[in-house]
Amino acid sequence: MLKAKPFLFLTILLFAFIGLNNSSATEKYEKFSAEQLDVLVPSSSGFVQSLAGKWQVSYEDEATSDKTIEVPGSEPKQKFIIYQRTIKLSPELRQKYAWYLSFNGIDNVTEVYFNDQYVEKYFSSMNPFTVRIPDNKMNNTVNKIRLKVLATESTVAQVQSQNVFAKKIYTGIVRDLMLVGTPQIHISDVKYTTKFNRDLSSCKIKSKISVTAADIKKIRHSVNDSIPIKISNDSIDVKIEAFVVDMLTGQPVTEVSSKIIKISSDRIIEENFELRAWNLRLWSPGTPDLYELNFKITKSGQLIDHRKDIIGFRDIRIMDKNNRPRIFLNGREFEIEGVDYIEDSYDNYQTLTAAQMEQDVKLMKKLGINLVRFKFSAPHPYFAHLCDKYGLLMLVEMPVYDIPNLLIGSDEIKKNMRNVARRLIAGYDNHPSLMAWGLMEGLQEGSAGTISYKDYIMKFFRQQSKHLIYKTTALNSEDVDIEGYDFIGLRDIGKYREFDNTVANLTRMEELTTKIPVYVNYGVSIHPDNHNGYSDPLSVESQANYLFNLFHAVQSMDYSGSLIWSFNDYLLENPFLMINYKNQYLCTSGLVDRQRRPRFAFTTMLAMFNKEKEPLLLAGSYEEEAPLSFIIFGLSLSILIIFLINRFKRFREYLFRSIMRPYNFYADIRDQRIMSSVQTVLLGLAVSFTLGIFLSSIMYFYRTDEMLQHILMLLVPANRLQELIFRLVWIPELFIVIISLIFFAGIFLVAGLLKLASTLVRGRIFYIDTYTIVIWSGTPILLLLPISIILSRLMSLSPAIVTIALILLIVIMITVFLRLLRSSAVVFDVRPYKVYIVGFAFTGLVLFITGVIYQLQYSTLSYANHLIDIILGY
């Protein structure tokens, strides 16, 4: 027991060194101004009040609570959070309007209660939606709002988090919510499409509107009470007018189209309008000219509702140029120069203020980009408005990243993604800046599950939206399915790769994708404090150099542009192995950090995008060297074994007999022949440390490769253990000691299982016997020691060395297992075939139960199969 204390103390020190608290200070959230709220609620005839502020909150483990927090906010992941607050409405307001709660994004589902009465459950997945508050659930003065926000569960939760680069997942009201009062008859939804003539001189605007009536008997509260309004048979005739206004001049650019409709209480009527405009200023990233699509509802000349939707006129299509499809914007070839954007900041995590969003958009415009792709969640509606206003095309995509074939085709995933697609189209389809919908990234090309999902979701998007559709696939894919897509992206992100290999893959994919426009998505994560020059692959300069070289390589080939991963750093859901940064949950792929401080890569790409003078890149003098710890530990073990062999004749005899004549050796154990316990313990330590050095060498060599993190995430799903292991991988001296001691402790565990099994046989077996069996069965592992000493240096010569070493390890471990079964048969004095049957059955049962638990909890087998496909390049 005393011997375990230093190890325990060492582990505690290591956890202290890691520093589990990676949080940053949260600043007070700044509410949206009245002008900014008007952007989010297009009706100018209603009432809008931000519900940002203090709410009473209770969490999953609390029945009730007096805690108050600021809403909106990025709350750590919980099963559910309950929010409560009261609002006051005067009787006049209560009667004048129909009332709604308007959400800009929650994660993930909310149950809405009003005055303790259940309204309904609503799905969001960080997309905007509105909730109608029934009149019969409202009071005339004080009203209580209760929201129970539930996190994503089951397989959907797994696919959200089981990704190396998945952003931090929060629960609750992450974005603003508002109390909205609308006229009793109002325009609740507008959908429109535009169609240009050949020379883009005129445009036909087809719109489909939804007119919603609440209680039309209260319509007098919405207009001038001095003029009587006739309501017959619980219905009312109203006039709807449609027209387009130039936001720059304030002048209409179309004639007014009008209709008279009859509507009753609690009804929704859809109507179609068609307008035509000439000589429009077209929207583009360089000239983001905007117009207003106006709809007015009037009765007897009195205004009931006036809705203004911001629109822009642009024509995006795929056309051939020099026998290759290209993207054209307003009749001109369009080259993508964009960035990936992940909603996150240092001050408020995923809960961005309007000022923070505008700062980001202005920085992007300064950078010189023309497009932004939103990853992991759809943009805040206000951010989408800023893209319309400042001129940034948007790629908005489904949250489908690297999902295994066995999961993506399941009904649960497909139905969930259809709900997401419905919310996306409802929230963003009207934005002139929206260029295309992304269906997936990193799925297995051509697999049954991928095709099933693609057909299911693509059909829905084609039916509900006229925008382009794309996907992103891995650059190392053997083949690419392009059927049904308008364009695709090739992904090369994560680590600093050999430039020649990347260019070779780009050349190969260029030949495979001649029938569709293709952009290239690339970027690297770096150590923010590393300024050793670009010869160091983790340095800040290496990021700039890598982006610089790939940007020119893509330009020299027949691609449709570049998309940089990423604009900003962001917090991750899982600890990150590849850079050994003090904050293990920080993805440092950004051109700017979480505080929006530009890196050298920002300056470099600014010069590239704006065709300015290229900055000077310094190489430095970095040379990677394998740590001497592997050699020191290996030579020390070798000296120990040689000493034992030369100094103790009996140890030498036992060692050679255990290998050359194992039956006689184990018979001596059975017959209680005297064997030195000290020598056995030393041999056990030698075996354990040999395995420790061997595995530590391989993991250290691959510490900057995402494949190792994928494997470790599968084997060790718990984030806290991942933090420990990832930190240890970068400290090989400590890792060797700790993992070797774990292997040594495993010897005692296996010996205990054998002692338990010995109760089933007649012979009298002691724990010291089973302990000795286990250690001496592992002597073939010592064959790995000479390789372990130089393995770290051999692997740098050729990747094939790793394959050979792992095959050798597997062969030796199988040999050790068979030796363990054979020795047990001898010592237990049982027929060998019985031991083999029991041993294989027990091992198979343990593996099966472990596999089932892992699969049910983490879909590990599905992800393991997907990982194999990635390694093989699909």
Side-chain angles (χ1 to χ4, degrees):
M1 189 69 182
L2 291 174
K3 293 182 179 179
K5 287 185 177 180
F7 172 67
L8 179 62
F9 179 70
L10 188 63
T11 305
I12 293 172
L13 280 180
L14 181 64
F15 267 106
F17 168 72
I18 290 173
L20 295 175
N21 183 9
N22 291 317
S23 62
S24 58
T26 303
E27 291 191 355
K28 183 176 176 60
Y29 182 80
E30 183 181 344
K31 292 183 180 181
F32 276 55
S33 66
E35 182 181 354
Q36 291 161 345
L37 289 175
D38 287 343
V39 170
L40 301 176
V41 181
S43 175
S44 60
S45 306
F47 172 94
V48 183
Q49 177 183 324
S50 172
L51 295 180
K54 293 190 178 297
W55 286 61
Q56 197 173 26
V57 67
S58 59
Y59 299 95
E60 58 183 86
D61 56 349
E62 301 170 335
T64 58
S65 174
D66 293 328
K67 295 178 183 175
T68 58
I69 63 169
E70 289 289 330
V71 170
S74 299
E75 290 293 302
K77 190 163 60 175
Q78 310 275 347
K79 287 185 179 180
F80 63 83
I81 304 176
I82 297 175
Y83 299 87
Q84 294 186 117
R85 69 164 288 176
T86 57
I87 56 172
K88 292 183 179 180
L89 292 173
S90 67
E92 292 76 19
L93 280 178
R94 161 80 174 81
Q95 293 294 318
K96 185 175 184 179
Y97 297 115
W99 293 95
Y100 294 82
L101 292 176
S102 179
F103 296 81
N104 287 308
I106 62 170
D107 203 342
N108 180 57
V109 174
T110 185
E111 294 177 359
V112 179
Y113 298 81
F114 212 80
N115 291 320
D116 293 323
Q117 300 177 75
Y118 178 75
V119 177
E120 202 171 333
K121 180 183 285 189
Y122 295 87
F123 173 84
S124 172
S125 190
M126 290 305 296
N127 291 293
F129 67 98
T130 58
V131 176
R132 172 79 165 95
I133 305 171
D135 287 346
N136 60 5
K137 291 181 170 57
M138 295 187 69
N139 299 326
N140 277 332
T141 52
V142 178
N143 291 270
K144 178 182 176 183
I145 304 173
R146 182 172 182 262
L147 306 172
K148 183 177 182 180
V149 181
L150 298 94
T152 308
E153 295 181 343
S154 189
T155 306
V156 178
Q158 293 173 6
V159 301
Q160 270 191 341
S161 59
Q162 282 288 89
N163 185 298
V164 171
F165 302 107
K167 77 168 187 64
K168 181 74 174 174
I169 298 172
Y170 301 99
T171 306
I173 305 172
V174 180
R175 295 175 181 163
D176 323 66
L177 75 160
M178 299 161 289
L179 178 67
V180 177
T182 67
Q184 298 294 340
I185 302 175
H186 67 281
I187 312 290
S188 56
D189 190 35
V190 174
K191 296 296 180 189
Y192 76 91
T193 60
T194 58
K195 185 176 182 180
F196 289 88
N197 65 353
R198 180 170 295 183
D199 63 1
L200 305 180
S201 62
S202 70
C203 179
K204 183 188 295 183
I205 305 125
K206 290 185 176 181
S207 57
K208 183 178 183 179
I209 68 170
S210 297
V211 183
T212 299
D215 187 351
I216 63 173
K217 294 179 180 178
K218 298 178 180 178
I219 198 71
R220 291 182 179 86
H221 295 278
S222 301
V223 294
N224 191 339
D225 291 334
S226 64
I227 302 175
I229 296 177
K230 295 181 180 180
I231 301 174
S232 60
N233 299 323
D234 294 324
S235 64
I236 185 173
D237 294 328
V238 294
K239 181 180 181 180
I240 304 177
E241 296 177 309
F243 56 96
V244 176
V245 171
D246 187 335
M247 292 185 67
L248 182 64
T249 64
Q251 298 300 312
V253 296
T254 66
E255 295 181 351
V256 177
S257 176
S258 62
K259 291 184 178 182
I260 303 294
I261 67 167
K262 178 175 286 190
I263 192 167
S264 304
S265 295
D266 299 316
R267 294 291 302 276
I268 299 175
I269 294 178
E270 292 184 343
E271 288 290 337
N272 296 310
F273 287 84
E274 187 172 306
L275 302 167
R276 182 172 289 276
W278 288 266
N279 301 319
L280 296 166
R281 298 189 313 279
L282 300 183
W283 187 99
S284 71
T287 56
D289 292 304
L290 296 173
Y291 295 78
E292 282 181 346
L293 178 57
N294 287 255
F295 291 96
K296 286 185 177 182
I297 300 178
T298 58
K299 175 64 177 178
S300 303
Q302 297 180 77
L303 180 66
I304 296 176
D305 187 30
H306 186 186
R307 174 168 174 145
K308 303 175 183 179
D309 285 86
I310 296 175
I311 68 172
F313 296 97
R314 84 288 184 282
D315 179 68
I316 299 179
R317 62 181 65 194
I318 308 300
M319 298 191 298
D320 282 348
K321 180 181 179 182
N322 299 327
N323 297 319
R324 172 138 190 174
R326 297 288 188 184
I327 302 171
F328 281 78
L329 172 62
N330 300 333
R332 296 183 178 181
E333 184 178 352
F334 178 74
E335 181 178 353
I336 292 174
E337 294 180 338
V339 294
D340 288 334
Y341 182 81
I342 296 89
E343 192 175 36
D344 182 68
S345 75
Y346 178 83
D347 294 328
N348 293 296
Y349 306 98
Q350 192 175 354
T351 305
L352 303 186
T353 65
Q356 288 172 321
M357 287 184 263
E358 190 152 16
Q359 177 195 17
D360 283 350
V361 170
K362 288 180 177 179
L363 262 178
M364 291 177 189
K365 293 300 291 184
K366 177 182 177 181
L367 181 62
I369 64 171
N370 55 27
L371 179 144
V372 56
R373 178 172 74 141
F374 295 92
K375 292 197 67 173
F376 304 115
S377 64
H380 191 294
Y382 189 75
F383 201 117
H385 161 72
L386 292 173
C387 289
D388 296 338
K389 177 182 176 181
Y390 285 95
L392 283 174
L393 282 166
M394 298 192 299
L395 298 182
V396 178
E397 56 190 29
M398 302 286 290
V400 176
Y401 303 97
D402 300 289
I403 300 177
N405 172 50
L406 298 175
L407 296 180
I408 190 60
S410 67
D411 288 341
E412 180 186 355
I413 295 294
K414 290 196 296 186
K415 289 177 180 177
N416 181 81
M417 293 308 164
R418 184 185 176 97
N419 290 334
V420 173
R422 183 177 286 109
R423 287 290 191 214
L424 284 175
I425 293 170
Y428 303 96
D429 200 59
N430 281 353
H431 284 278
S433 57
L434 178 63
M435 175 178 173
W437 303 111
L439 298 193
M440 66 183 83
E441 177 180 318
L443 269 58
Q444 183 179 349
E445 291 291 325
S447 70
T450 300
I451 292 173
S452 174
Y453 163 77
K454 181 196 83 170
D455 292 344
Y456 182 80
I457 293 297
M458 182 179 285
K459 180 180 178 181
F460 182 79
F461 273 107
R462 292 296 186 198
Q463 290 174 343
Q464 302 295 323
S465 176
K466 300 299 182 183
H467 290 286
L468 303 179
I469 293 177
Y470 73 98
K471 72 168 181 180
T472 306
T473 190
L475 182 60
N476 68 332
S477 297
E478 290 296 323
D479 200 4
V480 182
D481 172 25
I482 64 172
E483 184 178 354
Y485 296 100
D486 296 300
F487 63 97
I488 64 170
L490 300 177
R491 178 186 69 178
D492 183 61
I493 67 171
K495 63 169 286 188
Y496 188 101
R497 293 174 172 84
E498 290 294 332
F499 180 72
D500 292 342
N501 292 338
T502 302
V503 171
N505 268 325
L506 286 172
T507 304
R508 178 180 61 85
M509 294 300 285
E510 184 182 19
E511 297 172 356
L512 284 176
T513 57
T514 56
K515 297 182 180 179
I516 193 169
V518 181
Y519 71 83
V520 185
N521 179 212
Y522 51 90
V524 293
S525 53
I526 46 88
H527 195 296
D529 300 328
N530 186 331
H531 297 277
N532 293 336
Y534 66 76
S535 58
D536 185 342
L538 291 181
S539 70
V540 171
E541 294 80 9
S542 74
Q543 179 190 32
N545 184 62
Y546 193 70
L547 297 179
F548 173 86
N549 289 331
L550 269 184
F551 182 82
H552 283 296
V554 171
Q555 278 195 322
S556 68
M557 298 182 187
D558 212 7
Y559 287 110
S560 294
S562 294
L563 196 64
I564 306 302
W565 179 71
S566 57
F567 172 73
N568 57 296
D569 289 353
Y570 61 97
L571 289 182
L572 295 160
E573 178 64 13
N574 305 294
F576 197 49
L577 168 65
M578 296 192 298
I579 61 170
N580 193 33
Y581 191 53
K582 56 189 176 184
N583 185 345
Q584 290 180 287
Y585 289 87
L586 181 65
C587 181
T588 55
S589 58
L591 301 178
V592 299
D593 64 15
R594 294 183 68 226
Q595 294 173 279
R596 302 318 190 243
R597 294 175 299 197
R599 293 199 174 105
F600 191 44
F602 182 94
T603 305
T604 302
M605 294 315 301
L606 185 147
M608 298 298 97
F609 289 138
N610 293 283
K611 297 177 176 56
E612 298 174 353
K613 184 178 179 181
E614 301 166 356
L616 180 64
L617 294 168
L618 300 177
S621 57
Y622 172 81
E623 289 185 10
E624 185 171 1
E625 297 182 357
L628 293 176
S629 54
F630 303 121
I631 297 176
I632 294 172
F633 274 98
L635 289 177
S636 299
L637 276 183
S638 300
I639 293 171
L640 172 64
I641 294 170
I642 293 172
F643 171 78
L644 291 173
I645 291 173
N646 291 329
R647 178 68 177 82
F648 302 102
K649 179 180 178 181
R650 180 157 294 186
F651 178 84
R652 181 168 63 249
E653 292 175 354
Y654 287 155
L655 183 62
F656 287 107
R657 287 182 68 205
S658 69
I659 297 174
M660 306 304 297
R661 302 177 65 186
Y663 180 87
N664 293 338
F665 174 78
Y666 293 121
D668 288 347
I669 299 176
R670 179 192 61 197
D671 298 336
Q672 306 296 316
R673 302 286 174 85
I674 297 175
M675 187 172 292
S676 171
S677 297
V678 174
Q679 293 173 11
T680 300
V681 169
L682 290 175
L683 178 63
L685 287 171
V687 168
S688 300
F689 270 84
T690 298
L691 272 179
I693 298 169
F694 186 88
L695 292 178
S696 180
S697 296
I698 293 177
M699 293 172 72
Y700 184 82
F701 181 77
Y702 283 106
R703 68 196 185 282
T704 59
D705 194 315
E706 60 261 39
M707 284 300 108
L708 176 59
Q709 177 157 346
H710 278 296
I711 293 169
L712 292 176
M713 285 175 64
L714 291 178
L715 296 176
V716 187
N719 279 9
R720 288 297 175 92
L721 284 178
Q722 288 177 22
E723 293 175 32
L724 175 62
I725 294 171
F726 292 177
R727 193 67 79 191
L728 284 172
V729 168
W730 284 85
I731 314 173
E733 299 82 6
L734 192 56
F735 191 31
I736 291 171
V737 173
I738 291 179
I739 195 172
S740 300
L741 292 177
I742 291 173
F743 287 142
F744 190 64
I747 293 174
F748 290 90
L749 176 62
V750 175
L753 293 174
L754 284 178
K755 178 65 178 72
L756 185 64
S758 70
T759 59
L760 303 177
V761 300
R762 295 180 181 178
R764 189 178 181 187
I765 308 298
F766 296 97
Y767 182 81
I768 189 65
D769 298 329
T770 58
Y771 167 72
T772 305
I773 289 172
V774 176
I775 289 181
W776 286 91
S777 295
T779 52
I781 293 174
L782 295 177
L783 295 175
L784 294 173
L785 183 55
I787 300 173
S788 301
I789 295 174
I790 58 173
L791 183 59
S792 60
R793 298 180 182 273
L794 290 176
M795 287 186 292
S796 61
L797 300 178
S798 171
I801 298 295
V802 181
T803 304
I804 295 171
L806 290 175
I807 291 174
L808 180 60
L809 174 65
I810 293 171
V811 170
I812 289 178
M813 294 310 294
I814 292 174
T815 301
V816 169
F817 179 66
L818 295 175
R819 282 169 55 86
L820 181 62
L821 295 181
R822 184 182 180 186
S823 62
S824 299
V826 174
V827 175
F828 291 1
D829 198 15
V830 177
R831 291 184 181 274
Y833 77 88
K834 292 184 179 180
V835 175
Y836 283 110
I837 291 173
V838 173
F840 278 108
F842 178 77
T843 305
L845 181 63
V846 170
L847 293 176
F848 175 77
I849 293 174
T850 303
V852 168
I853 293 172
Y854 266 62
Q855 178 66 11
L856 292 176
Q857 292 291 323
Y858 311 106
S859 299
T860 301
L861 300 181
S862 301
Y863 275 95
N865 181 69
H866 182 64
L867 183 58
I868 293 171
D869 291 331
I870 293 175
I871 294 172
L872 298 177
Y874 297 138

